[in-house]
Every structure is written in C-alpha cells, then in structure tokens.
C-alpha cells in the first residue's frame, strides 16, 4: 500500500492516499454531517498498519487521527449547513456540554484502557445498529420531542463517549437520535455537523493527554496522533465539505437517508472483517 523506498518518510503514494481519503471524507461530512470519521478509520488503520505499526496500536492511531481531522472538517461543513438554515442552535447548546464531558472521558481514560480490536468491534456494532435503525425507517411517535436539559445532557454524554472511542463525529448516533425525536432529517444532519466540533475538540484533547508518554510509532507521530495524515486529510476535506453540504440540500430526503444507512453498514462490515481476518 506504500512505496517501500520511502517507508520511513512520507512517500508520494501515501500523500495520494491521504488526499483521496480527505476529499471523500470532506464530501461525506458535508453531505451527511458525519465528520468523515467513519470513512477514515478503516482506511487509516490499513495505511498505518502497512507502515509497520502493530495492528492494535494502528487502530488507536487511526481513531485519534480521524477525530482530530474533524476539528477542521466540521467547521467547514457547519458553515455550509448554517447558510442553509439547517443548524438548530438550541439543540447544539443543549447537547454540547454532555458531549464535551463524554469526549474527554473517552480520550483521556477509557480509550487508553481498551484493546485496539475491542475498539474496532465497538465501532462496528454501534455503526451497524444505527444503519439498521435508519433503513427500517420507523416513524417516531408524533408527540415525541427532544428531551429537557437533563435528557440532552445524558444523550450528549453518551454520544461524546462513544464517538471518542470510535473516532467518529457522532452523527451515527446523533442523527438517528434526533430523527427519533422528530427533528427533520436535514436539520438533524446540519445540527450533527455543528456538534462534530465539540466532540472532536474534547476527544482530541483526551487523546493528547492519554498518549503523551507514548514513544512515536512513526516519523511524525505524537502519541496517538499521526500528524502527516492529520494535516493532509484536513486540507483536502475542508475543500470538499461545502460541496457535500450543498448536495445534501438538493437531493431527496429518502435518498439521503438510504445513502447514510448503506454507508454505515459498509463501514461496519469493513471493520468487522478487519478484526476477524
């Protein structure tokens, strides 16, 4: 997967791989509000492991690096969705405090304690469950609304904790949750794009704290973060996120829902295959 003569550095093939990942992640971040993390983790795991990093550590580095890229992607996606009036800021304010606490807990504590294979299984199970829920397209009770402050705090904490463990922007949980509470799909996607930033910020801070004493696994790695991948992917994804957001407001809602669900199922299957293979 990488050019052998430059395996200790940053070869041109690696740059092409990372740029391609960044473009795809940025487009999906804008289209589905997912932050791009669920696309990045499986492929970054392959790329990092191919450079000689043990698989268990490669998974953790992929998760941490993926989450850090969402700091950049989410802002670009957020601006595009905000221009379309799709971000419900009261929901952002209600969910964000719990998300920050959950993200810090996952990045600074729980993440370091779990095995890399265990994280991959957690990732696949939650993503697959979210996909099935969306494909079933069960209509929520008409009277159901978003919970009050305590309920949003608890929901945000769960979203932040799980997102920090799997390196995703949280939309694989927050979008189905908001749909269950009768938030329209486009508003759920736009609001999830806004929530991606506090998720990424808190979890990345936790990864830095948790991995501070680790020796660099690769040139350019700092703890769990692989900086060459972070900056290359971030640069490409920021360019594509606005295009994805514009597309989200032009296509049919049911098509958007099915696309979201099918993407989640494919990514869950990819991670499970990697674990058991």
């Amino acid at each position: 997967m990488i050019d052998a003569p430059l395996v200790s550095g940053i070869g041109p093939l690696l740059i092409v791989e990372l740029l391609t990942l960044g473009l795809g992640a940025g487009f999906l971040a804008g289209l589905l509000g997912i932050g791009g993390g669920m696309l990045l983790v499986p492929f970054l795991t392959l790329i990092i492991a191919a450079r000689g990093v043990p698989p268990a550590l490669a998974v953790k580095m992929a998760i941490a690096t993926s989450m850090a890229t969402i700091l950049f992607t989410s802002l670009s996606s957020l601006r595009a969705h905000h221009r379309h009036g799709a971000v419900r800021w009261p929901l952002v304010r209600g969910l964000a405090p719990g998300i920050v606490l959950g993200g810090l807990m996952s990045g600074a504590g729980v993440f370091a304690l779990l095995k890399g294979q265990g994280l991959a299984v957690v990732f696949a199970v939650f993503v697959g469950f979210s996909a099935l829920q969306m494909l079933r397209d069960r209509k929520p009770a008409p009277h159901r609304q978003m919970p009050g402050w305590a309920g949003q705090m608890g929901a945000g904490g769960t979203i932040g904790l799980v997102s920090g463990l799997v390196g995703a922007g949280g939309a694989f949980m927050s979008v189905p949750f908001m749909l269950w509470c009768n938030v329209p799909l486009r508003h759920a996607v736009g609001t999830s794009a806004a929530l991606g930033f506090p998720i990424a910020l808190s979890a990345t801070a936790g990864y830095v704290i948790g991995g501070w004493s680790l020796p660099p696994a690769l040139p350019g790695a700092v703890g769990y973060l692989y900086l060459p991948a972070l900056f290359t992917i971030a640069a490409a994804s920021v360019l594509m996120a606005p295009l994805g957001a514009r597309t989200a407001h032009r296509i049919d809602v049911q098509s958007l829902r099915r696309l979201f669900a099918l993407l989640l199922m494919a990514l869950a299957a990819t991670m499970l295959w990697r674990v058991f293979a």
Side-chain angles (χ1 to χ4, degrees):
M1 180 168 288
I2 9 187
D3 27 359
L6 296 173
V7 72
S8 62
I10 304 173
L13 181 55
L14 175 62
I15 293 175
V16 170
E17 290 172 344
L18 295 176
L19 285 173
T20 303
L21 268 180
L23 293 172
F27 181 77
L28 290 172
L31 181 67
L32 302 173
I34 63 173
M38 283 185 284
L39 172 69
L40 294 176
V41 171
F43 291 105
L44 272 179
T45 300
L46 292 173
I47 290 171
I48 294 172
R51 298 178 71 78
V53 177
L57 179 57
V59 171
K60 290 190 173 185
M61 291 180 66
I63 288 172
T65 303
S66 166
M67 182 62 83
T69 66
I70 296 171
L71 286 169
F72 304 91
T73 310
S74 63
L75 288 177
S76 180
S77 176
L78 161 63
R79 289 180 60 194
H81 282 290
H82 177 69
R83 284 197 293 269
H84 286 90
V87 180
R88 290 199 175 181
W89 290 106
L91 297 184
V92 175
R93 290 191 291 270
L95 292 167
I99 278 173
V100 170
L101 290 176
L104 282 171
M105 287 173 57
S106 67
V110 181
F111 185 79
L113 299 176
L114 293 179
K115 301 288 186 182
Q117 291 87 343
L119 285 171
V121 172
V122 170
F123 179 96
V125 168
F126 272 95
V127 169
F129 174 77
S130 299
L132 287 175
Q133 291 297 101
M134 295 199 72
L135 278 180
R136 290 171 69 187
D137 193 20
R138 294 181 61 184
K139 302 298 182 186
H143 63 274
R144 186 179 297 130
Q145 299 295 320
M146 288 290 292
W149 180 85
Q152 291 188 42
M153 186 77 174
T158 303
I159 292 168
L161 178 66
V162 176
S163 298
L165 293 180
V166 301
F172 70 104
M173 293 181 68
S174 60
V175 169
F177 171 67
M178 283 187 272
L179 291 177
W180 185 73
C181 296
N182 283 298
V183 176
L185 178 59
R186 287 194 175 97
H187 287 183
V189 169
T191 304
S192 292
L195 291 170
F197 184 80
I199 290 174
L201 182 64
S202 56
T204 300
Y207 299 142
V208 171
I209 295 169
W212 192 255
S213 60
L214 290 177
L218 287 172
V222 177
Y224 294 118
L225 298 178
Y226 185 34
L227 298 183
L230 167 60
F231 295 128
T232 305
I233 291 171
S237 63
V238 165
L239 293 176
M240 289 297 290
L243 176 60
R246 287 196 296 271
T247 304
H249 290 273
R250 294 174 181 170
I251 66 175
D252 175 68
V253 169
Q254 290 304 317
S255 299
L256 185 62
R257 180 191 293 269
R258 285 192 292 269
L259 178 61
F260 193 109
L262 291 173
L263 174 67
L264 296 185
M265 292 185 74
L267 292 173
T270 299
M271 289 301 287
L272 284 176
W273 177 81
R274 287 295 302 165
V275 170
F276 294 109

